[in-house]
């Protein structure tokens, strides 16, 4: 069963399996939930360096919980993992130094996950990816396989063994097929309307043009004659059908521009002058 970071991990029953002795110095103890493996999906965490190699050339991933200020579930996840640490620490603290799996890097809480080529990487659309890029966000399915106990003359210590089983990149979308669209779906553009056909030439003109060609007259000259004949084919009825635009009189323009004032004509001025002279005499 795979638990989710939203689940209440404090209500689960945890157990330590039968110790497995690898040497006089190293013993491994499996970690279980009842009789099942403890596997859980993490919230979105920051991956600053991608997949790295340790000093023994083993692959590992450092994940950072620096997004805890923006995600309440990240805070809850940290709290629940701390609860698991306290269970182990309280059980072994009298005889062993229990090393916490949480570390600090630039003031942020981090932890390391062991990984290998069998751990698949996917994007948000379930497509497989080849690598885990640096400075990315991802969710992980991780397993607390168990704890390592070291017995040597210097000290007795306990270390947690976390594995990355699968990764899912956030905001890393790939398209496996060609996806460009050539036009808007369902929209078929209308072709422009065809121009009207030219007026038919009189039959006698057609016979005339054929005769000109049989006489050896160049085709350019024949085409020019066709244009001349087409212009001359305009008759009086066609001219009468043309509607001329009525011209606006200057008088109307002056009225509109001078708020109704109309200047006197030259005749009216001459008549007024004649009347004025007769009065003076």
């Amino acid at each position: 069963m795979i638990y989710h970071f939203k689940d209440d991990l404090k209500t689960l029953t945890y157990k330590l399996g039968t110790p497995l002795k690898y040497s006089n110095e190293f013993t491994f103890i499996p970690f279980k939930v009842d009789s099942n493996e403890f596997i859980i999906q993490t919230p979105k965490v920051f991956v600053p360096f991608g997949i790295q190699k340790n000093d023994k050339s083993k692959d590992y991933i450092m994940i950072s919980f620096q997004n805890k200020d923006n995600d309440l579930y990240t805070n809850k996840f940290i709290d629940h993992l701390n609860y698991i640490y306290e269970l182990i620490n309280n059980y072994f603290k009298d005889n062993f130094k229990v090393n916490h799996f949480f570390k600090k890097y630039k003031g942020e809480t981090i932890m390391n996950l062991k990984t290998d080529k069998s751990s698949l990487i996917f994007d948000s659309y379930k497509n497989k990816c080849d690598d885990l890029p640096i400075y990315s966000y991802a969710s992980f399915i991780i397993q607390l396989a168990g704890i390592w106990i070291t017995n040597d003359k210097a000290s007795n210590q306990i270390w947690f063994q976390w594995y990355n089983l699968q990764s899912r990149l956030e905001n890393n979308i790939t398209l496996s097929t060609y996806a460009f669209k050539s036009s808007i779906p369902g929209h078929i553009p209308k072709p422009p309307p065809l121009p009207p056909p030219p007026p038919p030439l009189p039959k006698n003109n057609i016979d005339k043009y054929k005769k000109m060609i049989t006489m050896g007259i160049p085709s350019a000259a024949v085409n020019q004659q066709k244009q001349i004949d087409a212009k001359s084919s305009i008759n009086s009825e066609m001219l009468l059908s043309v509607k001329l635009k009525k011209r606006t009189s200057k008088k109307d323009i002056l009225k509109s521009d001078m708020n109704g004032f109309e200047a006197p004509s030259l005749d009216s001025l001459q008549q007024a002058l004649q009347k004025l002279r007769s009065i003076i005499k």
Side-chain angles (χ1 to χ4, degrees), residues 136-165:
S136 59
Y137 267 87
S139 300
F140 295 89
I141 296 176
I142 62 178
Q143 177 194 7
L144 176 54
I147 57 175
W148 283 99
I149 298 178
T150 61
N151 297 286
D152 55 30
K153 296 179 181 180
S155 63
N156 297 324
Q157 299 189 57
I158 288 179
W159 306 86
F160 291 82
Q161 183 66 75
W162 288 95
Y163 287 104
N164 167 47
L165 303 181

Side-chain angles (χ1 to χ4, degrees), residues 80 96 132 134 263:
H80 285 183
F96 297 90
L132 193 65
I134 64 173

Side-chain angles (χ1 to χ4, degrees), residues 148-272:
W148 283 99
I149 298 178
T150 61
N151 297 286
D152 55 30
K153 296 179 181 180
S155 63
N156 297 324
Q157 299 189 57
I158 288 179
W159 306 86
F160 291 82
Q161 183 66 75
W162 288 95
Y163 287 104
N164 167 47
L165 303 181
Q166 199 169 103
S167 311
R168 182 185 65 192
L169 292 169
E170 303 296 334
N171 302 322
N172 189 79
I173 300 173
T174 58
L175 301 176
S176 57
T177 58
Y178 183 85
F180 285 95
K181 294 183 178 180
S182 57
S183 61
I184 303 173
H187 174 73
I188 302 176
K190 294 182 179 180
L194 296 175
L201 294 173
K203 185 176 180 181
N204 57 349
N205 282 352
I206 297 175
D207 295 338
K208 179 178 71 174
Y209 303 141
K210 289 182 178 179
K211 186 175 181 180
M212 292 173 66
I213 294 173
T214 56
M215 293 173 63
I217 298 175
S219 57
V222 176
N223 292 331
Q224 185 176 5
Q225 184 61 43
K226 287 181 180 180
Q227 295 177 2
I228 296 172
D229 292 341
K231 292 179 181 179
S232 63
S233 61
I234 299 175
N235 53 35
S236 58
E237 293 181 357
M238 295 172 65
L239 291 173
L240 291 174
S241 65
V242 177
K243 293 183 179 180
L244 298 178
K245 185 177 180 181
K246 185 178 180 180
R247 183 179 178 182
T248 305
S249 64
K250 292 184 179 180
K251 180 177 179 180
D252 294 337
I253 297 174
L254 289 172
K255 282 184 177 181
S256 61
D257 290 345
M258 302 177 68
N259 296 323
F261 173 76
E262 183 177 357
S265 63
L266 181 59
D267 293 339
S268 61
L269 288 174
Q270 290 176 348
Q271 292 176 3

Side-chain angles (χ1 to χ4, degrees), residues 45-52 61-62 131-138 169-170 172:
V45 293
F46 182 57
V47 185
F49 304 117
I51 299 175
Q52 304 177 83
I61 302 169
M62 187 184 88
D131 195 12
L132 193 65
I134 64 173
Y135 271 69
S136 59
Y137 267 87
L169 292 169
E170 303 296 334
N172 189 79

